[in-house]
Amino acid sequence: MRLTGLSRATIDRALNGRSGVQAKTQALINAAIQDLTLSSEAKHRAGSSRGRNFVCVVQAGDAFAQSIVDQCAALAPEFERRGVALAVIPCVSVSNEQVAETILGQAGADGLIVIAKNAPPIANATMTLRAGGAAIVAVQSDLDFIARHAYVGIDNRVAGQTAGFLMGRGFPPESAAQVAFMVDTVYYRCHEEREMGFRTTIRQRFPWFSVVDVVMNGDNDQAAYRAISALLEEHPDIDGLYNTAGGNEGVAKALRERGRIGKTIFIAHEYNPATERQIRAGAIDFLLTQDLGSVLRQAVDCLESVLEGNLHSQQIVVPLEIICPYSLPPRDTLVMSRFVA
């Protein structure tokens, strides 16, 4: 019950072959049974403590992938003292099939932290490694329940609601503002959840707003620049913009070229060197982010709990942080870029 989140009655029906159990539910229960079996075996092996070999596969835009590389490098001495090695494989501008191949290539690792799209090839790859005994933790953007042991990150629906609230309160009551919602692809579950929260909040609290969709073909600055340039051609006086994805420097460049800095409320995600530059330059008004160091520590804790056969939560939610120009952290707290793709 604790591993699956299902009721006693549902588990009873599945274990005893009764009707009314969906195939996905049965698969989730089967995966939990396998986890418990592997956990039992792991407890017998616990006496011989050895180092853990973990891998973090990051399918994301270059700025966010860089942040993960930098944070893992900063945490390496701490992890080493715990007997943990955490390697990072950035997959920037890489297809879902290539990411799946990369994941399958980590079959020798004890566990994987996966930051990726919830696309069928990727979910199938993580399920394969999970069936082989590897611990799988999704970070920042969730995967199917049966494709991972746990999720660690912010509540992305709450993040979208927060963006909607900040956007709505930025205009006089009942003003007919026109705001844009920007997304890369629905395969990122975090984007889906942020969109859900944003649209729901606008619809419930600010129904006089009109929302314009902006879909990027790629999670990078070039794609974002082209998408926002096209948006501003059609809607030159756009009042607000919420970017659920990456490419924020491309967005800022397009806004700057058309004189919209300080006129268009711009809400974005992730605190990194790129977004720090744009918030200091006045392009970004609010950043929704989280402590990446804490996220990675909790992800590693969860991987170890799975391997040691301990019970663990299937969803570990970390606090959402809001940064504006007046609450920027000191510069020396931001881990700067060292990775070159």
Side-chain angles (χ1 to χ4, degrees):
M1 288 171 62
R2 291 185 63 179
L3 283 174
T4 63
L6 299 172
S7 69
R8 184 185 299 274
T10 299
I11 294 172
D12 179 72
R13 287 199 302 274
L15 293 179
N16 290 284
R18 299 192 182 96
S19 61
V21 180
Q22 296 181 358
K24 192 169 184 178
T25 302
Q26 184 69 58
L28 181 60
I29 291 171
N30 292 343
I33 292 171
Q34 185 179 42
D35 287 347
L36 288 169
T37 302
L38 291 170
S39 296
S40 178
E41 294 171 354
K43 286 179 178 177
H44 288 294
R45 298 194 300 266
S48 59
S49 60
R50 61 182 180 85
R52 300 292 191 190
N53 177 30
F54 297 148
V55 177
C56 179
V57 177
V58 188
Q59 182 191 29
D62 49 5
F64 183 72
Q66 183 66 64
S67 295
I68 295 295
V69 171
D70 292 341
Q71 286 292 340
C72 286
L75 291 170
E78 175 184 328
F79 288 155
E80 186 177 354
R81 288 192 294 271
R82 295 173 52 177
V84 169
L86 178 59
V88 185
I89 303 178
C91 297
V92 178
S93 301
V94 172
S95 71
N96 297 332
E97 289 73 20
Q98 289 173 301
V99 174
E101 289 178 10
T102 299
I103 290 171
L104 291 172
Q106 311 311 309
D110 295 304
L112 267 71
I113 295 172
V114 179
I115 307 172
K117 298 174 184 178
N118 191 39
I122 295 171
N124 290 337
T126 59
M127 281 191 281
T128 298
L129 262 62
R130 175 175 175 170
I136 307 291
V137 172
V139 165
Q140 296 299 95
S141 189
D142 207 354
L143 300 170
D144 289 338
F145 290 143
I146 59 174
R148 51 67 167 174
H149 290 92
Y151 164 76
V152 179
I154 62 172
D155 184 326
N156 283 293
R157 190 171 187 276
V158 167
Q161 290 174 312
T162 302
F165 178 76
L166 291 171
M167 188 72 75
R169 294 294 290 164
F171 300 99
E174 300 191 21
S175 60
Q178 188 174 60
V179 299
F181 172 86
M182 186 173 180
V183 66
D184 172 27
T185 169
V186 294
Y187 272 133
Y188 280 114
R189 182 169 282 186
C190 63
H191 293 180
E192 294 179 27
E193 293 168 351
R194 291 168 188 175
E195 179 175 12
M196 243 193 311
F198 181 78
R199 290 186 183 278
T200 299
T201 299
I202 295 297
R203 184 170 62 249
Q204 291 177 345
R205 301 195 60 157
F206 312 101
W208 42 84
F209 280 14
S210 60
V211 180
V212 179
D213 286 345
V214 180
V215 180
M216 290 193 295
N217 185 24
D219 192 21
N220 55 62
D221 289 327
Q222 294 75 23
Y225 174 77
R226 290 192 297 268
I228 297 305
S229 295
L231 168 73
L232 293 172
E233 286 292 327
E234 188 173 352
H235 306 279
D237 299 321
I238 198 77
D239 297 298
L241 171 64
Y242 172 40
N243 182 16
T244 68
N248 288 301
E249 290 204 302
V251 175
K253 180 182 177 183
L255 292 174
R256 188 170 289 110
E257 286 180 354
R258 288 156 180 80
R260 296 304 300 175
I261 300 296
K263 298 177 182 177
T264 297
I265 295 178
F266 180 15
I267 302 173
H269 277 265
E270 310 307 337
Y271 178 55
N272 54 48
T275 54
E276 184 205 28
R277 283 192 294 272
Q278 297 308 325
I279 200 168
R280 290 188 185 278
I284 295 176
D285 296 286
F286 297 103
L287 276 175
L288 305 180
T289 190
Q290 64 288 303
D291 183 342
L292 274 183
S294 175
V295 170
L296 291 169
R297 287 188 186 96
Q298 294 192 63
V300 167
D301 289 345
C302 192
L303 289 173
E304 292 196 303
S305 292
V306 172
L307 294 170
E308 292 166 6
N310 298 325
L311 290 175
H312 59 87
S313 173
Q314 285 207 352
Q315 189 174 60
I316 301 169
V317 178
V318 301
L320 176 69
E321 300 177 7
I322 304 172
I323 296 177
C324 74
Y326 299 99
S327 63
L328 277 168
R331 284 182 181 270
D332 59 0
T333 65
L334 182 62
V335 180
M336 301 305 288
S337 299
R338 289 184 295 273
F339 169 73
V340 178

